[in-house]
Amino acid sequence: MSSSKPIGFLDSGIGGISVIRKAVRLLPNEDYFFFSDSVNNPYGDKCDEEIISRCDELTDLMVNKKSCKAIVLACNTASAKAVSFLREKYTDTPIIAIEPAYKMVHDYNPDGFTLVMATRGTLESEKFHKLFYTYYNNNTSLLACVGLADLIEQEKKEELREYLERNLHDYKGKVSNVVLGCTHYPLAKAEIKEVLGDVNFFDGADGVSRQLKRVLTEKDLLNNKKDKFTIEFVDSSETPEQQEQKKKRFFDLLRED
């Protein structure tokens, strides 16, 4: 049996493009529905109740209105704060959650000084604490990048460079590994390199995409009958003009990879 129903992706903006690009490469026969909740970006500065409520609302939309056969939380903060609630409520729908790729540092370069860049919500979550202390290398700094996802979402290039120079200055020449613990941050790799130099980047996009394929395979939900994927993109911006702008940027970024 195969399933032609779409796979739903949820992010607090278009940062999840870094995840869905990996997914469509790994699963080219699937259909996708991507919800960019940019009007509420960033999730990382919101309280747990707000995050859980909004993720519940969007998951309900994907499951009951869009008939998604699986949900990918392509937002580290949403994964950290809401995945347990969502899995308990939507028991018939597989929910795959991204997490900061700190284990990859343990696997590939455990001795290098590591900087974990993430939202405050992610770094303070119980889910991240379990991951962090399981693979802690005694050579890691955690940096809560308040406001960074919003600068990337809004394409404020000059402010982004100033932000990174100000907040990463003390790490120049010291860092070997950078864990990008928010799906927006891979969109700023070039700017981060301008400050830190030639570092190894780690993010969760590959891991969550492989997990998605494993889950769909185990549950016999893969779509094996199509030749090309389709993506429906929806953004929560307040005006049609803003929504179209987000949509254009999303598909431009998708073609870049």
Side-chain angles (χ1 to χ4, degrees), residues 225-240:
K225 298 180 180 179
K226 292 184 61 178
D227 296 324
K228 188 176 179 181
F229 67 85
T230 62
I231 300 178
E232 180 182 357
F233 176 86
V234 175
D235 182 82
S236 63
S237 295
E238 294 177 350
T239 69

Side-chain angles (χ1 to χ4, degrees), residues 2-20:
S2 66
S3 172
S4 61
K5 293 180 179 180
I7 301 165
F9 277 70
L10 185 164
D11 187 52
S12 63
I14 65 165
I17 183 70
S18 60
V19 182
I20 201 170

Side-chain angles (χ1 to χ4, degrees), residues 237-254:
S237 295
E238 294 177 350
T239 69
E241 292 78 13
Q242 290 172 324
Q243 292 166 7
E244 278 303 308
Q245 184 181 25
K246 296 289 185 184
K247 184 175 182 179
K248 181 180 183 303
R249 188 181 179 205
F250 176 88
F251 284 104
D252 284 347
L253 288 169
L254 187 68

Side-chain angles (χ1 to χ4, degrees), residues 15 18 21 152 180-190 192 203 205:
S18 60
R21 282 193 299 207
I152 297 169
L180 301 172
C182 168
T183 53
H184 280 77
Y185 299 173
L187 300 179
K189 279 184 181 180
I192 294 171
D203 69 71

Side-chain angles (χ1 to χ4, degrees), residues 135-252:
Y135 298 104
Y136 183 50
N137 67 354
N138 294 297
N139 199 17
T140 297
S141 286
L142 306 180
L143 181 63
C145 299
V146 177
L148 178 56
D150 195 41
L151 294 177
I152 297 169
E153 180 77 20
Q154 300 300 324
E155 296 187 87
K156 296 180 178 179
K157 296 290 189 180
E158 190 56 40
E159 291 180 45
L160 171 62
R161 288 187 174 90
E162 292 173 0
Y163 179 101
L164 293 172
E165 180 64 37
R166 184 171 63 251
N167 287 276
L168 299 181
H169 180 270
D170 291 344
Y171 298 100
K172 285 184 179 182
K174 301 177 182 177
V175 177
S176 297
N177 310 311
V178 177
V179 176
L180 301 172
C182 168
T183 53
H184 280 77
Y185 299 173
L187 300 179
K189 279 184 181 180
E191 291 82 359
I192 294 171
K193 272 195 171 185
E194 285 178 11
V195 180
L196 295 180
D198 190 18
V199 296
N200 302 308
F201 286 111
F202 299 89
D203 69 71
D206 275 327
V208 76
S209 298
R210 289 195 300 270
Q211 176 64 8
L212 171 63
K213 184 175 182 178
R214 281 194 293 269
V215 170
L216 294 180
T217 301
E218 289 170 2
K219 295 185 177 296
D220 200 17
L221 291 174
L222 287 172
N223 182 6
N224 298 314
K225 298 180 180 179
K226 292 184 61 178
D227 296 324
K228 188 176 179 181
F229 67 85
T230 62
I231 300 178
E232 180 182 357
F233 176 86
V234 175
D235 182 82
S236 63
S237 295
E238 294 177 350
T239 69
E241 292 78 13
Q242 290 172 324
Q243 292 166 7
E244 278 303 308
Q245 184 181 25
K246 296 289 185 184
K247 184 175 182 179
K248 181 180 183 303
R249 188 181 179 205
F250 176 88
F251 284 104
D252 284 347

Side-chain angles (χ1 to χ4, degrees), residues 103-135:
K103 182 182 182 296
M104 290 180 67
V105 172
H106 172 82
D107 293 340
Y108 294 103
N109 190 24
D111 297 325
F113 180 76
T114 301
L115 178 66
V116 180
M117 300 173 64
T119 67
R120 181 171 54 205
T122 295
L123 295 180
E124 292 177 352
S125 69
E126 180 181 355
K127 189 171 185 287
F128 176 75
H129 286 176
K130 289 180 180 178
L131 172 72
F132 180 65
Y133 288 111
T134 298
Y135 298 104

